[in-house]
Amino acid sequence: TSRLGFKGTEDLGGGLKASFTLEGKVVADTGETTLGSRESSVALSGGFGEIRLGRTDTSLSEGIDTLAHFANMGNFGLNGAGEYTGDQANTIKYTSPKMGGVTIQVGQTLGDERTGGEDLNSISLAYAAGPLSIAVGFDDAGDDDYQTIGARYNAGAFAVGFHTGKRDTATDVEVMGLSAMINLGSGMAAHVGLRTLESGTDEFKTTNLGVSKALSKRTTLVGMYQDTDKGATAGSFFQANVVHKF
């Protein structure tokens, strides 16, 4: 499958901007398209920050694993699913302006389209300065809550990341991941990821290896190998992607 997305921004004057994001899935071999199945939102931004409405992450809390693991490599997460939840319908989210490198996000998803019917409340705090990025987040939906922290250090020639999260629900889940990227020169980079996932009394381990090659400023070729020792996703597979940013 492939991802297809569109973004647009209109300058309203007086420091205000209106924007939209529309993303979906495209199955190349069948032509099936589900535009809007991922992010589908509108936003108003200015000196006060940004207010976003629609289908989106409730806060950065749901994307801290991406921050730490360089997961946006085509259509493949380097360390697999570590986030609490993905894009949520009926969401309102506020993002503060950056203050001394710190950004705060607060969001709420109405529970009428969520399993269990509970509202999802989320808050995250992110800090970015130079090569260092750190983020913490907390999600709460009744008896189901999630705490997470992640960090990334990008020195240019190499980058390392760490992420851990704990979900407290009927079956507690804990995830921890480490990742690294080494710049090989000539637009090439090597990637490695290690992840452990504990669910109840079970523990699963996943290893990822990958190579990426920038063909141009907008196009990157990616090859990824993944091995999981047990569970529903046990086994090994290889995936190749071409990432093009319009």
Side-chain angles (χ1 to χ4, degrees), residues 14-158:
L16 292 177
K17 292 183 179 180
S19 61
F20 78 93
T21 301
L22 184 62
E23 299 176 344
K25 180 178 71 173
V26 177
V27 183
D29 55 350
T30 65
E32 177 189 352
T33 303
T34 54
L35 195 60
S37 60
R38 298 180 59 82
E39 174 106 14
S40 177
S41 63
V42 294
L44 181 68
S45 60
F48 59 87
E50 180 189 82
I51 297 175
R52 184 168 293 273
L53 304 169
R55 180 180 178 88
T56 185
D57 281 341
T58 316
S59 86
L60 180 63
S61 178
E62 287 94 66
I64 288 179
D65 60 327
T66 302
L67 174 146
H69 296 153
F70 332 106
N72 289 331
M73 297 188 65
N75 200 17
F76 184 70
L78 181 59
N79 263 357
E83 64 182 14
Y84 171 58
T85 181
D87 297 322
Q88 297 288 299
N90 290 339
T91 294
I92 178 171
K93 175 173 64 179
Y94 169 72
T95 302
S96 74
K98 186 174 289 188
M99 301 168 289
V102 176
T103 303
I104 300 171
Q105 287 189 344
V106 180
Q108 183 181 58
T109 296
L110 300 180
D112 54 351
E113 291 193 23
R114 286 178 47 80
T115 302
E118 297 281 358
D119 290 351
L120 170 62
N121 301 295
S122 184
I123 184 170
S124 65
L125 179 71
Y127 172 79
L132 179 65
S133 299
I134 303 173
V136 296
F138 178 76
D139 290 340
D140 176 75
D143 294 330
D144 186 355
D145 59 71
Y146 179 67
Q147 310 91 41
T148 180
I149 183 170
R152 178 176 64 190
Y153 185 85
N154 191 343
F158 70 93

Side-chain angles (χ1 to χ4, degrees), residues 207-229:
T207 302
N208 297 102
L209 301 172
V211 176
S212 61
K213 167 65 175 178
L215 303 179
S216 68
K217 290 182 178 180
R218 297 182 176 183
T219 306
T220 302
L221 180 65
V222 180
M224 299 295 296
Y225 169 81
Q226 174 174 292
D227 178 77
T228 301
D229 62 347

